[in-house]
Amino acid sequence: AQRVTQPEKLLSVFKGAPVELKCNYSYSGSPELFWYVQYSRQRLQLLLRHISRESIKGFTADLNKGETSFHLKKPFAQEEDSAMYYCVRAAGNKLTFGGGTRVLVKP
Amino acid sequence: DTAVSQTPKYLVTQMGNDKSIKCEQNLGHDTMYWYKQDSKKFLKIMFSYNNKELIINETVPNRFSPKSPDKAHLNLHINSLELGDSAVYFCASSQGGLSYNEQFFGPGTRLTVL
C-alpha cells in the first residue's frame, strides 16, 4: 500500500525565517507527488505538483527519488503562510494524503 | 460562483440515526469523491464516482452508501451512526481520466455523533 509520511505535526517559525516541511513516500516506480494546503477558513487546495517544478507563493519542492522524499521549502516564511499542509501522492485520481503539518508563522 | 458545495456545513446527531450529506459541483467535472478527515486531521479517500459509476471504494463500512444521481451530484448516506463516524467529510471533484487531474474540494461537513 502506498504511504506518505509527514513526520512533523507542527512547525512554528518566525516571520522571515526559512521553513521546510518534510515528506517521505513509500517507494513504487515513478510517483506523482503534490502539496495541498488548507488556510484557515478556506478550502483545501493544490499548492504545487512535482512535475511542474515551479515555485508557488515562494514555495518549492524537489522530488528526491533516492531518498523517496518530496520536502517543501520556503526561504523566508510569511505570516500568511500559516496553514495546514498535506503531502499527497496520486495513483491516477486516487490521492493518498500524508498526516499533515501545521505551520505557524509568528510575527 | 463556480465551486464544490456541501450541505449541511454542520451536522449533530445521536448514535443510531441515519443522516445524509449532499455535494454538488458546477465545474463540469466527471469525477467526484468523498474524503473523511479524522480528529487528527488525517484525510482518507472513501469513495469516488466517475459519471455516476463507483470507481473507488476504500473498505468503508457498508453503513456508508454514496449515491450519484447525476455527474454533478454525489451524496453520502450514513446508516446507524456510530461515535467513530464523527469527523469532517469533504467532497471533491475533478476531470475524469486515468491520470491525475487536480481535485477541487468543498468546504467540508463537520459531523458530530453524540
Side-chain angles (χ1 to χ4, degrees):
Chain A
Q2 293 186 3
R3 268 199 303 275
V4 180
T5 304
Q6 293 178 247
E8 304 124 338
K9 293 298 175 195
L10 173 66
L11 274 180
S12 183
V13 300
F14 284 102
K15 177 181 171 182
V19 62
E20 181 179 29
L21 288 74
K22 291 187 168 49
C23 172
N24 289 90
Y25 62 92
S26 54
Y27 176 77
S28 177
S30 297
E32 283 197 85
L33 290 159
F34 309 84
W35 280 94
Y36 273 73
V37 61
Q38 188 173 25
Y39 300 102
S40 178
R41 297 190 184 88
Q42 293 188 30
R43 297 159 190 242
L44 191 62
Q45 58 189 282
L46 177 66
L47 178 63
L48 55 78
R49 60 192 79 185
H50 87 273
I51 57 170
S52 61
R53 302 178 71 83
E54 56 192 344
S55 173
I56 303 290
K57 298 184 179 182
F59 284 97
T60 58
D62 291 320
L63 177 61
N64 185 322
K65 290 186 179 180
E67 296 182 358
T68 61
S69 69
F70 187 55
H71 303 329
L72 182 69
K73 301 175 187 178
K74 184 168 182 175
F76 307 103
Q78 303 299 313
E79 288 182 70
E80 56 265 28
D81 296 327
S82 295
M84 191 76 175
Y85 292 80
Y86 290 95
C87 183
V88 180
R89 181 171 183 171
N93 273 321
K94 181 181 172 183
L95 303 185
T96 299
F97 283 77
T101 298
R102 181 168 296 283
V103 171
L104 177 62
V105 181
K106 297 178 283 189
Chain B
D1 192 22
T2 55
V4 180
S5 59
Q6 295 178 228
T7 54
K9 194 170 180 181
Y10 299 96
L11 186 52
V12 181
T13 188
Q14 300 284 337
M15 258 194 326
N17 284 349
D18 303 338
K19 290 293 178 187
S20 291
I21 307 172
K22 295 186 177 182
C23 178
E24 177 181 1
Q25 56 93 4
N26 59 6
L27 298 166
H29 290 160
D30 296 324
T31 307
M32 296 184 72
Y33 312 81
W34 277 109
Y35 290 87
K36 180 180 180 181
Q37 185 182 48
D38 63 22
S39 58
K40 296 182 180 176
K41 301 291 188 185
F42 184 66
L43 260 165
K44 189 170 164 54
I45 181 98
M46 299 173 70
F47 300 103
S48 175
Y49 269 71
N50 179 267
N51 276 324
K52 302 194 295 175
E53 283 193 39
L54 181 67
I55 55 171
I56 296 175
N57 183 344
E58 286 290 301
T59 59
V60 177
N62 57 17
R63 297 182 296 105
F64 289 78
S65 53
K67 285 188 172 49
S68 183
D70 55 61
K71 72 175 193 176
H73 296 83
L74 181 61
N75 303 323
L76 183 64
H77 189 76
I78 316 171
N79 288 328
S80 303
L81 279 156
E82 300 177 358
L83 293 176
D85 298 332
S86 295
V88 181
Y89 292 85
F90 288 97
C91 179
S93 73
S94 74
Q95 293 291 355
L98 294 176
S99 58
Y100 168 82
N101 289 285
E102 181 178 350
Q103 293 186 18
F104 293 81
F105 284 78
T109 295
R110 183 174 293 278
L111 171 64
T112 303
V113 183
L114 303 174

